[in-house]
Amino acid sequence: MNSDLIDIVLMASPVVQAVMLILALMSIAAWAVAFAKSYEIRRASQQAKLFDQLFWNTQELTNLFNQVSQEDESKRRGMASLFEAGFKEFVRLRKQGVTNTNDLMAGTQRAMKIAFSRESDRLENRLPLLATVGSSAPYIGLFGTVWGVMHAFQSLGNVQNATLAAVAPGISEALIATAIGLFAAIPAVIAYNRLSHRADRLLGEYENFAEGFLTILQRQAHSLEKQNAV
């Protein structure tokens, strides 16, 4: 069976062989991205849980900020990145003499929004490749099938007695192109939906953390504003 399949691929027309090669490369790329992003999102989720526990168990945010700032850049991602950006901007504005609560929170929110966008781009990076493979691979395979069928029927023009045995090899090579296209597309679509859902859920956790963190900073800003008013 495997040898017959290889023979059919080798005997296919150059155009169909090129289509099969493109689909094979697309499938390899999709699987590579799926495994890499799955590991990346799983690691980011674990880091988020650990930092969330550390944050809510910390009494002094300044000590946590110093701890986060001294860590490697690879560890200052996700919630840690949001915390660092927000607290750094909050402290900077306070040192500049900004005491109004609205001004403090607006600046802090902008800094955290930039950090959130950066984390969102990092999590969603390369996911569009999976969507591209999932949507285009069947059509590329269909193109190979149509071309193979055309080639098979054209070859019948040189045969006096057209039989099933004469047209079957061309039809077989054409259908293999469709099969390879589906083989590349189906896992890519499944991986894209699964990883997109996990990324969206993780970004939702980032947003919840940001809201809780901003609430704490807002209370501190109110206290500072009251002290200056007195």
Side-chain angles (χ1 to χ4, degrees), residues 45-59 64 79 209:
S45 180
Q46 293 174 350
Q47 290 178 341
K49 291 180 181 179
L50 293 175
F51 185 82
D52 188 64
Q53 294 176 356
L54 179 63
F55 174 81
W56 293 110
N57 291 329
T58 300
Q59 300 296 328
L64 180 59
M79 291 183 181
F209 166 79

Side-chain angles (χ1 to χ4, degrees), residues 84-94 104 107-108 110-111:
E84 182 187 26
F87 193 79
K88 183 177 181 179
E89 182 66 14
F90 183 79
V91 172
R92 187 182 69 82
L93 291 174
R94 287 180 56 180
L104 281 173
T108 303
R110 284 194 298 269

Side-chain angles (χ1 to χ4, degrees), residues 11 14 42 53 57 69 71 73 124 147 150 177 191 193 222:
M11 293 176 61
R42 182 171 65 252
Q53 294 176 356
N57 291 329
S69 300
E71 291 181 345
E73 185 177 357
E124 296 175 352
W147 188 276
M150 291 173 55
N193 292 334
H222 278 303

Side-chain angles (χ1 to χ4, degrees), residues 188-208:
V189 171
I190 294 174
Y192 175 77
N193 292 334
R194 179 172 177 269
L195 294 175
S196 296
H197 174 71
R198 292 175 59 188
D200 291 341
R201 186 172 60 183
L202 184 57
L203 290 174
E205 294 178 4
Y206 290 172
E207 290 179 345
N208 293 335

Side-chain angles (χ1 to χ4, degrees), residues 11 13 147-171 173:
M11 293 176 61
S13 64
W147 188 276
V149 171
M150 291 173 55
H151 184 267
F153 280 106
Q154 285 177 354
S155 64
L156 291 179
N158 300 324
V159 179
Q160 294 181 352
N161 295 323
T163 61
L164 182 61
V167 72
I171 301 298
E173 75 178 41

Side-chain angles (χ1 to χ4, degrees), residues 7-73:
D7 291 338
I8 293 175
V9 173
L10 294 177
M11 293 176 61
S13 64
V15 174
V16 177
Q17 287 180 342
V19 168
M20 293 178 182
L21 178 61
I22 292 173
L23 291 173
L25 294 177
M26 292 175 66
S27 179
I28 293 173
W31 280 101
V33 169
F35 281 117
K37 295 302 295 184
S38 179
Y39 172 77
E40 181 182 352
I41 294 176
R42 182 171 65 252
R43 182 182 178 186
S45 180
Q46 293 174 350
Q47 290 178 341
K49 291 180 181 179
L50 293 175
F51 185 82
D52 188 64
Q53 294 176 356
L54 179 63
F55 174 81
W56 293 110
N57 291 329
T58 300
Q59 300 296 328
E60 182 57 48
L61 295 181
T62 303
N63 295 335
L64 180 59
F65 175 76
N66 294 332
Q67 178 182 345
V68 171
S69 300
Q70 295 174 358
E71 291 181 345
D72 297 334
E73 185 177 357

